[in-house]
Amino acid sequence: MDIIKQDVVIIGAGAAGLMCAATAGYRGRSVLVLDHAPKAAAKIRISGGGKCNFTNQTVTSEDYLCHNPHFVKSALARYQPEDFIELVERHGVDYEVRDAGKYFCANRAGDLIHLLLTECDWAGVQLQLKENIVQVVDLKAQSPSSNEAYQVDTQTQQIQCQSLVIATGGLSFSKLKASGFGYDIAKQFGMPVLPKRPGLVPLVMADKLLVFCQKLSGLSLEVSITVQMDTGTVSVNEAMLFTHFGFSGPAVLKISNYWQAGSALEINLLPQLNLLAELQNLKARNGNLKTWLNQFWPKKFTQAWAEFHTLPEKLAETANEQLAILAEQISRWQIYPAKTAGYDKAEVTLGGVDTSAISSKTMESLKQPNLYFIGEVLDVTGQLGGYNFHWAWASAVAAGQVI
Ligand SMILES: Cc1cc2nc3c(=O)[nH]c(=O)nc-3n(C[C@H](O)[C@H](O)[C@H](O)COP(=O)(O)OP(=O)(O)OC[C@H]3O[C@@H](n4cnc5c(N)ncnc54)[C@H](O)[C@@H]3O)c2cc1C
């Protein structure tokens, strides 16, 4: 088998890999991107409900979960939302800004894949799909005077390169060829990998609560959800969706990043009200509880809730202690999810390659020269709202400027 030589090999033709390839290609580097999937950037195509929420109006380190909260600052400071929006405009891709500054494609997420592939083409990048990587060899460990640092063996070729970039993403959506390859490479080179779990993921309920959710499947409510963590309390105010297996919707996806298996969620089903005061007022007016609740909830939900929790028929005859219990049930509804819906339904992977082993300026391994990790494979997880793609762009550019 002939040995092919490239300045840069990037494994993973997703958001981060393609962005990094174009950045390095424009600098005159010869770049080869390898991916085992039949199509590039499959996750972009299905993201944001098919419209890809590709960045956010404001992106700061506070929008990310990472064991080292400072790690993301340098890359984010050097590649900002305006930079990606400018690229999108230059390619004539129509976009729209939705609630609270989320940028989406106006037509289809595929427009962004086309943008990235065009950029790679203009930058002279080679892209090879359906390439199964067999092994990565450390050439300098074998011969310190070697010009190339790594050899990547696929089933069909051997490629030597000066810089190797791992952009293989996380574990979610294995049907789109997600794999743990990046974590295995980190371990091969003695780098720490932090425990991983599904993030931005629906939660699964069991028993009576599951039946309750199934009855309401498709219904959405504006709620506030709180979890207690060792480090404090986290609350999210957003829409929660009932599904045939439990809870989903933005509030639940966001809180799932903090929920620990076995712990409770506390849900306020009427977060806009001082509920006890309102119920006392209603009692004094001899009002009808269900009719009153129907102002805030869909009738179907009020009915299901009344069956689930046995609402008092006549508020006027309800003792004040009972009223307080009723207010607690609605404003501090404690539920214990059975589990998350797992990587098959998760948007991201929490944890991953420990950033303590990575340069925050270049994404290069501090231990293993010329080996870079970018995108979701790192222990960097964005909140819902375009932050994960923004991290893919920013970390890719940080590496692409130096490889
Ligand atoms: C349903 C869904 C919706 C989402 N919506 C949004 C959204 O709207 N906004 C947002 O910011 N984020 C969203 N995300 C998250 C976002 O898609 C990821 O964070 C982002 O794609 C990460 O980019 P990446 O390049 O690091 O990894 P990926 O995009 O996952 O790319 C990794 C690439 O590596 C390849 N690869 C993996 N293993 C190997 C291997 N062994 N050999 C060769 N190649 C390999 C894969 O085939 C893939 O092409 C969503 C995710 C999902 C699943």
Side-chain angles (χ1 to χ4, degrees), residues 211-344:
V211 178
F212 178 73
C213 292
Q214 285 170 335
K215 254 192 221 166
L216 294 168
S217 184
L219 188 143
S220 174
L221 287 183
E222 287 296 321
V223 299
S224 166
I225 311 185
T226 303
V227 289
Q228 302 291 343
M229 314 218 348
D230 297 343
T231 47
T233 301
V234 180
S235 288
V236 168
N237 292 295
E238 283 255 18
M240 177 174 91
L241 176 72
F242 293 88
T243 71
H244 60 281
F245 53 78
F247 292 161
S248 190
V252 172
L253 298 187
K254 282 185 179 176
I255 211 76
S256 72
N257 281 353
Y258 303 94
W259 178 73
Q260 299 287 339
S263 65
L265 295 181
E266 195 176 281
I267 305 178
N268 186 346
L269 292 163
L270 288 171
Q272 69 279 37
L273 301 179
N274 177 346
L275 192 57
L276 185 55
E278 295 276 356
L279 290 176
Q280 282 163 343
N281 202 333
L282 189 67
K283 177 180 169 179
R285 296 196 319 265
N286 198 14
N288 181 291
L289 181 57
K290 278 193 196 164
T291 311
W292 182 79
L293 285 170
N294 284 339
Q295 295 174 84
F296 309 105
W297 291 342
K299 274 189 188 152
K300 191 176 172 185
F301 184 79
T302 310
Q303 188 53 37
W305 184 263
E307 287 162 17
F308 197 60
H309 276 99
T310 326
L311 288 182
E313 280 298 321
K314 293 193 175 146
L315 216 52
E317 292 166 15
T318 307
N320 282 344
E321 299 79 62
Q322 279 305 112
L323 222 52
I325 292 173
L326 181 62
E328 283 272 307
Q329 279 174 341
I330 295 175
S331 60
R332 302 187 61 188
W333 185 30
Q334 291 246 334
I335 56 138
Y336 286 85
K339 57 183 180 178
T340 73
Y343 286 115
D344 282 352

Side-chain angles (χ1 to χ4, degrees), residues 92-171:
V93 173
D94 290 335
Y95 62 85
E96 60 194 24
V97 187
R98 296 195 202 154
D99 54 319
K102 297 174 188 153
Y103 282 70
F104 285 82
C105 293
N107 300 313
R108 64 198 76 77
D111 291 347
L112 277 191
I113 303 177
H114 184 254
L115 176 159
L116 290 167
L117 292 176
T118 305
E119 283 286 303
C120 283
D121 192 31
W122 290 347
V125 171
Q126 283 184 65
L127 170 62
Q128 293 178 0
L129 300 169
K130 295 192 202 162
E131 279 292 339
N132 289 317
I133 317 293
V134 178
Q135 63 170 350
V136 170
V137 182
D138 181 354
L139 295 176
K140 299 264 187 199
Q142 289 180 352
S143 163
S145 60
S146 164
N147 277 339
E148 274 70 35
Y150 297 97
Q151 178 170 310
V152 179
D153 294 350
T154 74
Q155 279 172 333
T156 55
Q157 51 188 334
Q158 294 181 315
I159 310 129
Q160 294 190 346
C161 59
Q162 289 163 12
S163 299
L164 176 62
V165 182
I166 307 299
T168 44
L171 295 171

Side-chain angles (χ1 to χ4, degrees), residues 356-373:
S356 69
I358 303 283
S359 158
S360 63
K361 300 220 159 29
T362 62
M363 305 297 135
E364 186 179 13
S365 163
L366 296 174
K367 185 166 186 288
Q368 190 66 31
N370 307 309
L371 178 64
Y372 297 77
F373 290 81

Side-chain angles (χ1 to χ4, degrees), residues 12 14-16 35-36 47-48 53 167-169 173 179 181 347 376 386 388-389:
D35 199 305
H36 63 174
S47 66
N53 179 193
T168 44
F173 274 60
S179 83
F181 179 85
E347 289 201 6
E376 198 185 313
N388 283 296
F389 278 122

